[in-house]
Amino acid sequence: MKHGASKSGRPAGSSPTPARTRLGLDDLARLRDQMKADAERREAERLAAEEAARQAALEANVFRNSIGNVQTLRDRNRVTPPARRPEPVPVQTRLDDQAVLAASLSDQFDVENLLETDDTLSFRRPGIGNDVIRKLRRGEWVPQDRIDLHGLRRDEAREALAEFLRRCVRRGVRCVRVIHGKGNGSPDKQPVLKGKVRSWLVQKEEVLAFVEARGAEGGSGALMVLLRQPYA
């Protein structure tokens, strides 16, 4: 046996290197690499979160960025009033008004002695001068509204006319055209509503005067009616 050598062939004085020691070093290297990768991943996530927060802040302040610096108004402790409720519909009042209107116009009213003796049977209330009748005939009073009673029954026409006149007076309308028809569609070719309409108009105090319309505005099938102004 040579000097300095052991029976196992290793140099004298050297100690064995266990296999688990080499494996432990490899594990430490892998752990170090993993920790580094985790740290880089967390840093990347942090940077991404900061960028997302910055973008969100920019989007949330688009309006403010577009108008520049603004100052928030102080809270003045104002109270928002409740929404206004719609006014109640006076159904019964309207029904009562309709009943009064229907009763106020009589079909038995004798109007012949109140009409002028001309061919058109015009009407003017006491105190209304002949010049008003002339202006109505010449068309100097322009009709601001109209009602067509064609096709209505007598009671329907009476109620419709009364409501129409009342509505026009409330609106301040001065001149209207009332179309009653010439009777061309009736069996006997007689204007059914012509005399009735004249009688109803004379009974309404808001009617100051009326004349037969000119040919272009209905002729004998219509009337031009002058109304009083509403009371102040």
Side-chain angles (χ1 to χ4, degrees), residues 6-219:
S6 64
K7 294 180 179 180
S8 61
R10 290 189 298 269
S14 62
S15 60
T17 303
R20 65 173 179 268
T21 303
R22 291 195 300 273
L23 291 176
L25 294 176
D26 293 339
D27 291 340
L28 289 174
R30 284 195 297 272
L31 180 60
R32 181 192 59 197
D33 294 341
Q34 184 177 354
M35 292 176 63
K36 181 179 179 181
D38 290 343
E40 292 175 350
R41 177 178 54 80
R42 286 194 296 270
E43 180 65 15
E45 291 176 351
R46 184 185 65 80
L47 294 176
E50 290 180 355
E51 178 63 19
R54 189 179 68 83
Q55 291 295 331
L58 289 176
E59 293 176 1
N61 293 319
V62 168
F63 176 73
R64 177 168 296 184
N65 292 336
S66 64
I67 64 173
N69 294 328
V70 296
Q71 183 177 359
T72 304
L73 295 176
R74 294 183 302 169
D75 185 4
R76 300 181 181 275
N77 296 323
R78 292 183 177 178
V79 177
T80 302
R84 184 178 180 181
R85 296 181 179 180
E87 296 293 334
V89 179
V91 177
Q92 188 58 48
T93 301
R94 291 182 179 179
L95 294 176
D96 294 341
D97 290 343
Q98 291 176 0
V100 171
L101 288 172
S104 64
L105 297 180
S106 172
D107 291 336
Q108 306 303 321
F109 185 78
D110 185 9
V111 70
E112 296 300 327
N113 61 336
L114 297 177
L115 300 179
E116 300 288 342
T117 56
D118 57 12
D119 293 338
T120 62
L121 296 179
S122 60
F123 167 78
R124 61 186 176 91
R125 202 166 292 281
I128 302 299
N130 285 323
D131 59 324
V132 174
I133 297 295
R134 288 194 296 270
K135 289 180 179 180
L136 279 174
R137 286 200 180 103
R138 289 197 298 262
E140 294 186 22
W141 295 91
V142 179
Q144 299 169 274
D145 205 343
R146 52 166 275 181
I147 184 172
D148 191 345
L149 303 177
H150 274 109
L152 297 181
R153 298 177 182 176
R154 182 184 61 185
D155 293 341
E156 294 173 339
R158 179 176 55 193
E159 182 176 334
L161 178 61
E163 175 62 25
F164 171 75
L165 295 175
R166 185 176 66 166
R167 186 172 64 249
C168 288
V169 171
R170 286 182 176 178
R171 291 165 45 209
V173 174
R174 294 303 311 277
C175 184
V176 298
R177 182 158 59 110
V178 178
I179 304 171
H180 50 67
K182 298 180 179 180
N184 295 331
S186 61
D188 55 359
K189 301 298 180 181
Q190 293 297 322
V192 177
L193 294 177
K194 183 174 182 178
K196 297 295 182 183
V197 168
R198 281 172 164 79
S199 175
W200 296 336
L201 290 174
V202 169
Q203 296 177 62
K204 301 300 292 182
E205 292 185 358
E206 54 262 49
V207 174
L208 299 180
F210 62 76
V211 298
E212 186 176 283
R214 295 183 299 173
E217 296 175 331

